[in-house]
């Protein structure tokens, strides 16, 4: 396989760039499930030193995307459809639990922060809707949609921080079926064709916030689990 098959790595944030390129290569099938890999080979193909690749692989091993099968031996994890489904189920259940505990444990300042985040997202969404209304469906709103995505991912991460339990946060991070970068890539790919579905899911964040503000643990857990399940199923099928 050619060196440029993975794409070049930019000079800034080499470890982050290597991580992103490797995730892309795994997603696109350039690096195949079960394929054996080495730091040196990947560094050569990416055109960087082994150090940023080593850092990127450490993160990918943590995410269970890459498996360590020996002191120096690694391979791309081969998750069956059944295994991927089980990973999604684990993330859904843990996300629901985190929302329940957030409704119970969130401080007033943390809730205020969540309100502010969604208010910021609402402003960006309003800009998107205005641009589309003026320029039509072909309007270039990729940057605004990316900004909304980051606000919503930050919202979910801050909900998890409201729990105040690093062990549960760690378990959820390990159970994630997709990284934030992978979610963004897949979301931007399928969003134009499923605008109404994404609009409905966007408003689910407001419903979850209302449940948190009301300290309604049952409702928060139900909403979070339903929201995450729909999103993960959609991403898994893309």
């Amino acid at each position: 396989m050619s060196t440029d098959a993975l794409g070049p790595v930019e000079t800034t944030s080499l470890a982050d760039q290597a991580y992103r390129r490797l995730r892309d290569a795994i997603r696109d099938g350039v690096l195949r499930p079960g394929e054996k890999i080495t730091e040196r080979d990947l560094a050569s193909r990416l055109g960087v030193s082994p150090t940023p690749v080593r850092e990127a692989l450490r993160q990918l091993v943590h995410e269970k995307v890459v498996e360590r099968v020996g002191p120096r031996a690694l391979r791309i994890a081969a998750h069956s459809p059944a295994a991927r489904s089980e990973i999604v189920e684990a993330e859904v259940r843990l996300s629901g639990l985190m929302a329940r505990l957030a409704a119970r444990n969130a401080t007033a300042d943390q809730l205020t922060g969540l309100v502010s985040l969604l208010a910021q997202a609402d402003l960006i969404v309003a800009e998107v809707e205005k641009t589309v209304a003026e320029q039509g469906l072909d309007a270039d709103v990729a940057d605004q949609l990316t900004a909304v995505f980051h606000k919503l991912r930050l919202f979910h991460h801050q909900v998890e921080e409201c729990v105040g339990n690093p062990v549960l946060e760690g378990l959820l991070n390990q159970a994630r079926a997709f990284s934030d970068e992978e979610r963004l890539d897949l979301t931007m790919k399928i969003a134009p064709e499923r605008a109404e579905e994404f609009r409905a899911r966007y408003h689910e964040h407001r419903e979850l916030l209302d449940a948190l503000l009301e300290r309604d643990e049952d409702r928060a857990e139900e909403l979070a689990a339903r929201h995450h399940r729909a999103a993960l199923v959609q991403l898994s099928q893309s």
Side-chain angles (χ1 to χ4, degrees):
M1 199 170 296
S2 65
T3 298
D4 61 0
L6 298 182
V9 176
E10 297 176 10
T11 56
T12 58
S13 304
L14 282 177
D16 290 340
Q17 290 290 333
Y19 168 83
R20 181 65 175 270
R21 291 296 183 183
L22 291 174
R23 288 279 335 201
D24 288 348
I26 293 168
R27 183 198 64 207
D28 296 339
V30 176
L31 295 173
R32 300 178 303 280
E35 180 178 345
K36 292 183 179 180
I37 55 176
T38 65
E39 292 177 4
R40 289 189 177 279
D41 178 58
L42 292 177
S44 175
R45 292 161 69 177
L46 290 170
V48 297
S49 70
T51 300
V53 172
R54 186 176 305 119
E55 294 178 24
L57 287 172
R58 187 179 297 118
Q59 179 63 26
L60 292 169
V61 168
H62 177 73
E63 294 174 1
K64 312 300 184 186
V65 176
V66 171
E67 300 171 327
R68 189 169 291 281
V69 293
R72 296 180 178 275
L74 301 116
R75 70 182 173 200
I76 306 303
H79 296 307
S80 67
R84 172 67 72 141
S85 178
E86 290 166 355
I87 293 170
V88 166
E89 184 65 27
E91 181 174 350
V92 167
R93 291 181 180 273
L94 282 169
S95 296
L97 174 61
M98 296 294 272
R100 168 180 284 277
L101 296 177
R104 181 186 307 173
N105 299 333
T107 67
D109 285 345
Q110 286 173 324
L111 292 173
T112 298
L114 292 173
V115 170
S116 176
L117 262 179
L118 284 195
Q120 294 169 36
D122 285 344
L123 290 175
I124 303 172
V125 169
E127 291 178 9
V128 171
E129 292 177 342
K130 179 181 178 182
T131 301
V132 171
E134 293 174 348
Q135 301 179 22
L137 295 177
D138 293 332
D140 183 4
V141 292
D143 289 344
Q144 291 99 316
L145 290 178
T146 298
V148 172
F149 173 88
H150 286 305
K151 293 292 184 186
L152 297 182
R153 290 309 298 161
L154 183 57
F155 174 84
H156 287 299
H157 290 315
Q158 288 194 1
V159 168
E160 294 154 16
E161 290 176 6
C162 289
V163 176
N165 189 320
V167 174
L168 286 178
E169 285 188 58
L171 287 173
L172 179 55
N173 285 331
Q174 291 184 36
R176 293 197 196 282
F178 302 93
S179 69
D180 282 356
E181 291 82 1
E182 202 170 9
R183 287 171 189 264
L184 175 58
D185 288 344
L186 292 170
T187 297
M188 295 300 288
K189 175 183 174 183
I190 62 182
E193 300 173 357
R194 305 181 184 180
E196 288 304 317
E197 293 177 45
F198 279 95
R199 186 174 289 107
R201 278 224 305 278
Y202 176 79
H203 290 296
E204 289 173 2
H205 294 84
R206 179 66 59 185
E207 295 179 51
L208 176 56
L209 177 60
D210 290 342
L212 296 174
L213 292 172
E214 294 167 7
R215 304 290 185 178
D216 189 335
E217 297 180 25
D218 290 341
R219 181 68 172 154
E221 182 173 17
E222 175 193 354
L223 287 168
R226 187 174 70 199
H227 173 83
H228 286 286
R229 185 182 302 281
L232 289 168
V233 167
Q234 189 175 62
L235 291 174
S236 296
Q237 294 173 345
S238 63

